[in-house]
Amino acid sequence: MDKKSKAKLIWTVTNNGCDKLGVENIAAVITQNRLDAVRMSYSSSALPNIIKLRLEISKQLASEDVQHSEGQVPFLLSFIGRRSILSLHGAPIEVADGSEIDITFIVDFNFCASLRPVTSTTKNVEIIVSSEDQLTNIKEGSKISVSYGAVELKVLDVPKNFKSGMTLRCLVENGGMLLSGVDVHSPSMSRDLFPLLPEDERTLQTGFSSLADYVIVDGIKSENELLAIKAGILGENAPFSERHPSIPISKSIHEVEAILPPRFLLKVDSKRSLDLLPTLMKHIDGVFLSRSELGIDEHPHNLPIIQKELIARCNKLSKTVIVASELMHSMYVNANPTRAEVSDMANAAADGADALVLSHEVTEGPNASLVAQVTLETLVNSEAWFEKKWHPFEMNEIPSDDDAVTYGAIRIAQQANVKAIVCFTEGGYTAMKLSSMRTPTEIIAITCNKKIMRQMNLLRSVTAVVLESRSQVERILSEIKEILVKSFNFKKGEKFVFVSLTASSVSERNSNLFTVQEID
């Protein structure tokens, strides 16, 4: 197998970026750099570009004759929800500490949904919000954070019956550069998902779930709100289990083309969502940690420890964990990242994150292709050092048979010096278990359904591939060896550890095994 980073890289794409840069060009960056996943916000206006981008990625990879599932790129989609964006008339503006500035507030859902870099129609600085209710709590003394604290403002006065189109006078408490299109946050401006905006209600009623491999859910205030979103996508009485909070294991999971539900990721972007996490963990498949947004609620010096603890918790529970912040953000204007940015990315990967997210500012900036190359080089080089220091962890208590099997397989893989760990997995649980133990050994996940395959491609160290038959374990092993030789360049005599937590010749379910195999 080609040398790739074990932590996956997620490329953020906006609807505006698709229109401005062209879907074909965005797909070319993704395919040529073998990027692992795409993140987009879902809206009715973005739907055609989401479909077009998925088809274009598959088309370009097919033309390059990618034989295994490197070409199957998972899509992470999110609701638009309530958001706030800065809009300027003309060039960026630098504001100094202690100065005053006029801000006009405008309600325009379509602006927020498309992330269009449209400049304001007046000479004022504008903050565009997606819903009128985001303005009801703004008062004298309200704090406004622009671009995650790059500029901080305090509202000096508020007109009576304040509403869209009105202007506020603000004091600049922390000066800096104002850029059009950046996010704006304030404790006085709601970013709750509920009550759902009309566009988000339509999202639940469309083919959203068939397009999304993962759904990123944010703005959740309670367990009931999360369950309501899941019910809207999965159905009121959809079965789920501790292993599979979102993917019911049924006969359809063995059908290659069957349309299955997406997996759910909770966005941790505030102290409230962080405090809710222990309650919600059993309902979700993973966590999307937005450090830049969380840093508005939490003191920055707390973030490194929060990140480490959250990643460790997710690994222990076999949950997917994704880290997002302003990674490589300076490469929006510079050809080289800062030392701090490189260190930040390397540390997130070393902490055990499944994947890292690059924001649309850099993925759609002038240095996008260079960003992809530098980021991947950073991950590969840092992981090479980390793997030299990796040593078998000791599991003092084996929580379950599943943990015992996966732990044993990893230990045997090290001792037998195998080329890879290969697992057969119906719903992806076996791959999640293996990946969560952060072995330096490559993991190849064999599954029967294409959507499960794409979902597994987001996991650290995992490359997934579809097995288009459902056989007894002896026949599965024979077919897997053929796949390893054809698609992963295995040679005669090379060894792999085969793991299954659900399939054996004795029983289809509730059985497990691992064994060392050799290519004949």
Side-chain angles (χ1 to χ4, degrees):
M1 289 177 282
D2 296 334
K3 184 63 176 175
K4 292 184 62 179
S5 67
K6 289 180 171 55
K8 304 302 177 73
L9 190 60
I10 301 173
W11 201 249
T12 300
V13 179
T14 65
N15 192 39
N16 171 68
C18 289
D19 294 336
K20 180 181 177 182
L21 303 174
V23 167
E24 294 81 3
N25 294 327
I26 293 174
V29 173
I30 292 168
T31 56
Q32 290 168 13
N33 292 285
R34 293 291 186 269
L35 302 177
D36 300 290
V38 171
R39 172 197 175 201
M40 291 189 74
S41 293
Y42 182 96
S43 66
S44 56
S45 59
L47 177 58
N49 279 329
I50 293 172
I51 295 172
K52 188 176 178 182
L53 181 59
R54 187 188 284 283
L55 293 173
E56 185 63 28
I57 290 171
S58 298
K59 175 184 172 183
Q60 290 190 20
L61 287 165
S63 68
E64 295 180 22
D65 195 29
V66 175
Q67 295 183 20
H68 57 81
S69 66
E70 265 186 19
Q72 304 303 318
V73 175
F75 271 56
L76 290 73
L77 303 183
S78 59
F79 294 86
I80 295 297
R82 289 164 176 77
R83 63 182 308 149
S84 317
I85 300 171
L86 192 73
S87 177
L88 302 179
H89 176 80
I93 300 172
E94 187 164 3
V95 293
D97 292 1
S99 62
E100 295 184 5
I101 185 172
D102 288 330
I103 302 286
T104 302
F105 285 77
I106 304 291
V107 176
D108 185 348
F109 179 87
N110 290 326
F111 184 100
C112 294
S114 63
L115 284 179
R116 292 180 289 117
V118 177
T119 55
S120 69
T121 55
T122 71
K123 292 189 177 181
N124 292 339
V125 176
E126 290 183 350
I127 291 177
I128 315 293
V129 298
S130 51
S131 176
E132 187 79 44
D133 62 12
Q134 292 176 267
L135 304 180
T136 56
N137 293 321
I138 293 178
K139 58 185 182 298
E140 182 180 336
S142 289
K143 303 288 185 177
I144 298 173
S145 176
V146 180
S147 190
Y148 311 110
V151 176
E152 294 181 349
L153 310 172
K154 182 174 78 171
V155 175
L156 293 178
D157 61 88
V158 180
K160 288 185 177 180
N161 303 316
F162 175 62
K163 61 182 180 180
S164 177
M166 290 187 173
T167 299
L168 302 183
R169 191 73 174 168
C170 295
L171 174 70
V172 179
E173 294 195 320
N174 181 42
M177 189 68 70
L178 295 176
L179 300 172
S180 192
V182 299
D183 282 341
V184 176
H185 294 76
S186 171
S188 301
M189 291 191 291
S190 168
R191 293 174 75 88
D192 296 340
L193 185 57
F194 283 84
L196 291 177
L197 299 178
E199 176 73 22
D200 294 320
E201 290 181 344
R202 286 192 289 272
T203 293
L204 287 175
Q205 297 163 7
T206 64
F208 170 73
S209 61
S210 63
L211 285 173
D213 298 297
Y214 289 85
V215 174
I216 303 169
V217 184
D218 64 334
I220 294 293
K221 303 190 295 294
S222 68
E223 183 177 19
N224 286 339
E225 288 188 353
L226 177 62
L227 293 177
I229 287 295
K230 293 190 69 173
I233 294 176
L234 304 178
E236 287 291 341
N237 298 309
F240 63 90
S241 65
E242 186 177 342
R243 280 186 171 190
H244 300 286
S246 308
I247 310 292
I249 302 302
S250 62
K251 290 184 178 179
S252 62
I253 211 166
H254 302 142
E255 300 171 11
V256 174
E257 303 289 346
I259 298 175
L260 300 176
R263 296 184 190 272
F264 287 79
L265 303 173
L266 179 71
K267 189 176 183 183
V268 174
D269 57 357
S270 64
K271 190 175 187 305
R272 182 180 68 189
S273 57
L274 185 64
D275 292 341
L276 270 174
L277 186 59
T279 301
L280 302 183
M281 192 69 92
K282 62 180 176 291
H283 301 301
I284 60 175
D285 303 275
V287 170
F288 186 103
L289 171 62
S290 177
R291 295 180 302 179
S292 49
E293 292 173 284
L294 183 58
I296 297 171
D297 279 2
E298 289 280 355
H299 195 286
H301 65 219
N302 292 331
L303 294 181
I305 302 304
I306 290 173
Q307 174 179 299
K308 290 178 184 295
E309 290 178 344
L310 190 147
I311 290 174
R313 186 190 307 176
C314 288
N315 287 342
K316 184 176 181 180
L317 297 174
S318 302
K319 304 285 185 179
T320 305
V321 55
I322 298 168
V323 174
S325 71
E326 295 172 292
L327 296 171
M328 302 300 192
H329 194 69
S330 68
M331 292 190 74
Y332 174 72
V333 293
N334 300 322
N336 294 303
T338 65
R339 289 188 295 273
E341 287 171 333
V342 171
S343 177
D344 202 24
M345 177 158 282
N347 282 328
D351 285 344
D354 282 284
L356 306 173
V357 183
L358 293 172
S359 68
H360 72 90
E361 287 90 350
V362 292
T363 62
E364 296 177 351
N367 299 316
S369 293
L370 186 58
V371 168
Q373 295 167 22
V374 171
T375 303
L376 291 169
E377 288 172 6
T378 298
L379 291 176
V380 169
N381 291 335
S382 62
E383 287 174 352
W385 178 88
F386 178 67
E387 286 173 15
K388 290 178 183 177
K389 303 293 182 181
W390 192 91
H391 57 86
F393 60 89
E394 294 297 334
M395 189 175 286
N396 297 323
E397 295 183 10
I398 306 295
S400 68
D401 291 346
D402 295 340
D403 290 289
V405 171
T406 50
Y407 177 65
I410 287 173
R411 294 299 302 267
I412 291 296
Q414 282 196 305
Q415 295 169 9
N417 193 29
V418 301
K419 188 170 181 178
I421 299 173
V422 181
C423 66
F424 176 77
T425 179
E426 290 180 326
Y429 178 74
T430 309
M432 291 175 185
K433 268 290 177 190
L434 289 165
S435 174
S436 68
M437 293 188 180
R438 299 315 188 226
T439 170
T441 308
E442 298 287 346
I443 302 167
I444 299 172
I446 312 292
T447 188
C448 297
N449 179 270
K450 285 185 177 179
K451 188 155 190 173
I452 298 294
M453 174 188 65
R454 288 195 302 271
Q455 292 168 342
M456 295 306 97
N457 275 336
L458 190 64
L459 302 181
R460 186 186 180 102
S461 301
V462 173
T463 301
V465 64
V466 163
L467 179 71
E468 298 193 14
S469 66
R470 186 76 169 89
S471 310
Q472 292 283 41
V473 69
E474 293 82 359
R475 181 57 191 156
I476 286 177
L477 277 171
S478 177
E479 293 175 5
I480 286 173
K481 288 179 181 179
E482 293 174 8
I483 291 172
L484 296 179
V485 171
K486 180 180 178 182
S487 298
F488 295 90
N489 202 30
F490 272 61
K491 301 290 189 293
K492 183 177 180 180
E494 289 185 323
K495 296 179 181 179
F496 64 94
V497 171
F498 176 73
V499 188
S500 175
L501 299 181
T502 56
S504 78
S505 56
V506 178
S507 171
E508 286 192 357
R509 300 195 54 75
N510 300 322
S511 56
N512 46 55
L513 62 88
F514 70 87
T515 176
V516 178
Q517 294 288 318
E518 184 175 310
I519 301 297
D520 304 322

